[in-house]
Amino acid sequence: MTRSPSPSPGRAAAAGPTAHLSVRDLLGEALAGVLQRPVRTMLTMVGVVLGVGTVVAVLGMTASASGQISGRFTALTATEVTVRPSAGAQDAAGSPDGSPFPADADARAAQIEGVRSAGTYYALASARVGDITGVPLPGASAQRLPVIAASAGTLPALRATLHGGRLFDSVLDDRAEPVAVLGSGAARRLGVSRLDRRPVIFIGGTPFTVIGIVGDVERKAEVLSSVVVPRGTAHRMWGPPGKRDQPARMIVDTELGAAADVAAQLPLALRPDRPDVLQAVAPPDPRTLRNDVSTDLDGLFLLLSGVSLAIGTVGIANTTLIAVLERTGEIGLRRALGARRRHVVAQFLTESALIGGVGGLVGAAAGVVAVVAVAVVQRWTPVLPLTVAVLAPVIGLATGLVAGAYPALRAARIEPVDAFRH
């Protein structure tokens, strides 16, 4: 057996002992340091859990809700177009009642492709509802119920649902018949519950036969507390709209996806002689609305999650710094036994990274559970971007590394002699 020559004492002293820290030993030491005080470690993780969980929950809930916002908005508001007089409409009457809308505005609007129904309306300021025939109103001879003068297409455009009776049509409107349709709230106030006896109400001293009661509307909920009379009847009874009356407007119910095209054609179709006197207002693009809502929610809640992550970073840094002070003797002993500064830095960075990484995993899981729970309660389809779920633990890990940088560097600067004195 041959023996290799041993190095000379001078060379050995110059080279010194070779210090080596394997990954397995590093992870073991870091795990032991983290588990040494479990309660403190768990409390330290809370900030990271809240921050990462909020990020995952916000992005997931926003993605899940955006589809619902788009669907609900598109189903109703995206099919509604409103036409109103523009600034120069005062001297541009299109009908005998002084309104800028022509007398056959409903028929003209209905000829546009994509229009389901359309009608003009305005609120009367002077008309007051009196008693019903044979039934005095409680406490007063006249009630302040709103009276709306509307064309035949207005209530269908509002998607009114009848509780009983019928709506007035264009024939009753053209003949200026004294008929009225009550909203459900107005009917309750007037005590009208049955129509088989043809109840009569008095508006401004004129009798009107109630022919229908509206149970619900999908647009303009104020109609439910109002009395609706034909526009032609209002013009014959009280003359053209006065300055105190609400300016006439048109409501148009369109097919899904046709609102923008209909709005572009309406002014010219209604007033080919003066299209500038009418202004058609189309609903905003539902995709734009969805993106705006998502952006606003993301910005607000991501700011809150950033604050939580900052609190978590400070918590990890504070805990790691306290651990450095408490373990000064241990650090000095390791340095005396050959540990290099980089080994000390690596150990404390690994401990803080473990706290941040585990906090990120727990926060990501909590965020996913929150998204699914809200989706189940709201009957939504849960949507969670895959990149968010994957990057959430990485965010926690990065938070731990950033938080542990200063305490690790401070631990590495501890000299063995100072450590033993401490």
Side-chain angles (χ1 to χ4, degrees), residues 176-387:
E177 294 290 339
V179 295
V181 175
L182 304 180
S184 57
R188 283 193 299 270
R189 289 186 61 183
L190 293 172
V192 178
S193 58
R194 300 174 55 182
L195 300 177
D196 54 345
R197 297 181 181 179
R198 301 178 63 83
V200 174
I201 62 173
F202 285 84
I203 304 177
T206 303
F208 281 76
T209 302
V210 179
I211 63 172
I213 298 175
V214 174
D216 196 10
V217 290
E218 295 187 15
R219 300 185 174 103
K220 310 296 181 184
E222 60 269 19
V223 172
L224 297 178
S225 60
S226 305
V227 178
V228 184
V229 300
R231 189 180 64 168
T233 306
H235 179 224
R236 182 173 66 86
M237 296 287 184
W238 301 291
K243 294 183 179 181
R244 296 177 57 191
D245 296 329
Q246 183 189 74
R249 294 193 176 190
M250 170 175 274
I251 183 75
V252 182
D253 184 23
T254 71
E255 299 288 347
L256 190 62
D261 293 336
V262 170
Q265 301 175 52
L266 273 171
L268 185 60
L270 296 175
R271 293 295 302 271
D273 58 329
R274 292 286 305 276
D276 58 300
V277 301
L278 296 176
Q279 179 183 5
V281 181
D285 185 357
R287 291 173 297 181
T288 303
L289 176 67
R290 180 184 61 191
N291 293 334
D292 291 344
V293 172
S294 299
T295 301
D296 293 342
L297 290 176
D298 288 347
L300 174 62
F301 287 105
L302 287 179
L303 177 62
L304 297 178
S305 62
V307 173
S308 298
L309 281 176
I311 295 174
T313 302
V314 174
I316 294 176
N318 184 54
T319 301
T320 308
L321 188 59
I322 292 175
V324 169
L325 297 177
E326 292 177 346
R327 295 159 63 184
T328 301
E330 174 191 337
I331 296 170
L333 181 60
R334 290 180 182 275
R335 292 294 310 280
L337 294 177
R340 304 291 179 87
R341 293 181 186 273
R342 64 175 182 272
H343 299 153
V344 177
V345 171
Q347 178 180 347
F348 282 96
L349 279 180
T350 304
E351 291 182 11
S352 60
L354 279 175
I355 296 175
V358 174
L361 285 172
V362 176
V368 171
V369 171
V371 171
V372 174
V374 171
V376 169
V377 172
Q378 298 293 334
R379 297 182 180 179
W380 296 347
T381 300
V383 179
L384 182 66
L386 182 61
T387 53

Side-chain angles (χ1 to χ4, degrees), residues 74-161:
T74 302
L76 182 62
T77 311
T79 59
E80 177 184 333
V81 177
T82 302
V83 185
R84 58 193 180 194
S86 60
Q90 290 81 0
D91 301 324
S95 62
D97 63 1
S99 168
F101 294 95
D104 59 344
D106 295 11
R108 293 189 184 190
Q111 294 177 356
I112 301 176
E113 184 70 24
V115 174
R116 299 178 60 183
S117 56
T120 57
Y121 66 96
Y122 63 93
L124 296 165
S126 57
R128 298 179 66 182
V129 179
D131 59 353
I132 310 170
T133 301
V135 181
L137 292 177
S141 59
Q143 292 208 30
R144 293 185 178 275
L145 291 179
V147 179
I148 298 176
S151 63
T154 301
L155 290 175
L158 298 179
R159 299 188 181 182
T161 303

